[in-house]
Amino acid sequence: MSRPMLGAGFFEGDALEVAPKLLNKLLVRGGLVGRIVEVEAYRGSEDPASHAYRGMTPRNATMFGPAGRLYVYFTYGMHWCANVVCRPEGIAQAVLLRAAAPLAGTEAMQAARGSALRQRDLASGPARLCQAFGITGADDGADLVAVDRGIYIADDGVPPPDHPGVSGRVGIRDGVDLPWRWWVPGDENVSRPPAAKRGASRL
DNA sequence: CTTTGGATCGTCT
DNA sequence: GACGATCCAAAGG
């Protein structure tokens, strides 16, 4: 099976366009491989929920850099989260990687995640995904095209869903109504399944 | 299954 | 000094 690595062109574009394109792509680091099944778009100066809404700071500087870099930030005093930067230098937009389906290296992911876990909990959340792939602040600014820190994104031929799930973003205060979260319908690794509707527990 | 509260610290005001 | 782009364990139905 071939797994072409994605080039710089793939990552350049509005976050609203790049985010859903990343669904079903592969996140790769060494022997660790996961299929991206949930993402959110953050649109810098045009997005009150974005870390970059009020301009550049030391923390969010990577978001203002070139597309195809990884913006990694620390939050809640204990968690790392990873984003793919998707606009040219000077414009701060990025796509938060919220969940992945483990495909390879699952034993190492389990070890990295600690306590006994079901397969579907290994990377079902932005901080869990980083833990599973060993992504930390040391990886902030990593170049996904030059693969300077062993991390890249590949395409194994599985296209994004024709009709991805869409909702408001998770865990934010402002901009909650903007439908900028996408996921692969029916995938068990999605961090927060769509609000459980009465009598609609299955997909 | 759902809800609740605690952990824990870098960042920005 | 307040508050997170979160997670987990524990407790309740």
Side-chain angles (χ1 to χ4, degrees):
Chain A
M1 149 161 57
S2 82
R3 273 179 187 168
M5 197 185 104
L6 296 181
F10 181 91
F11 302 107
E12 281 177 17
D14 195 287
L16 298 182
E17 164 193 321
V18 176
K21 278 203 310 183
L22 278 167
L23 291 177
N24 281 334
K25 293 296 178 284
L26 305 179
L27 177 63
V28 184
R29 172 171 232 181
L32 308 177
V33 183
R35 188 179 304 285
I36 297 166
V37 296
E38 182 185 353
V39 295
E40 284 176 0
Y42 286 87
R43 300 182 72 240
S45 58
E46 298 171 53
D47 178 2
S50 172
H51 288 164
Y53 185 55
R54 292 181 169 77
M56 184 159 68
T57 68
R59 173 175 69 157
N60 65 27
T62 297
M63 269 185 105
F64 287 83
R69 300 286 175 85
L70 201 64
Y71 166 49
V72 182
Y73 67 90
F74 184 68
T75 192
Y76 290 105
M78 63 191 94
H79 294 306
W80 298 101
C81 297
N83 302 249
V84 176
V85 177
C86 63
R87 298 252 75 176
E89 277 195 78
I91 306 178
Q93 291 198 9
V95 178
L96 173 66
L97 303 178
R98 283 197 58 90
L103 289 191
T106 56
E107 280 190 24
M109 291 184 191
Q110 290 242 12
R113 292 272 293 120
S115 48
L117 293 159
R118 295 171 303 182
Q119 194 91 341
R120 68 169 182 249
D121 288 325
L122 290 179
S124 59
R128 291 170 173 179
L129 182 152
C130 283
Q131 226 174 297
F133 282 83
I135 295 171
T136 70
D139 299 306
D140 182 40
D143 190 328
L144 302 176
V145 177
V147 200
D148 60 355
R149 269 161 263 187
I151 307 172
Y152 65 97
I153 295 180
D155 184 353
D156 69 346
V158 178
D162 288 330
H163 300 289
V166 183
S167 78
R169 293 168 294 178
V170 175
I172 55 173
R173 285 168 50 99
D174 302 318
V176 289
D177 297 330
L178 300 167
W180 292 353
R181 171 180 179 238
W182 294 266
W183 67 88
V184 176
D187 193 286
E188 293 231 302
N189 299 273
V190 170
S191 68
R192 276 171 56 173
K197 304 275 197 264
R198 299 193 323 124
S201 59
R202 298 178 52 88
L203 273 174

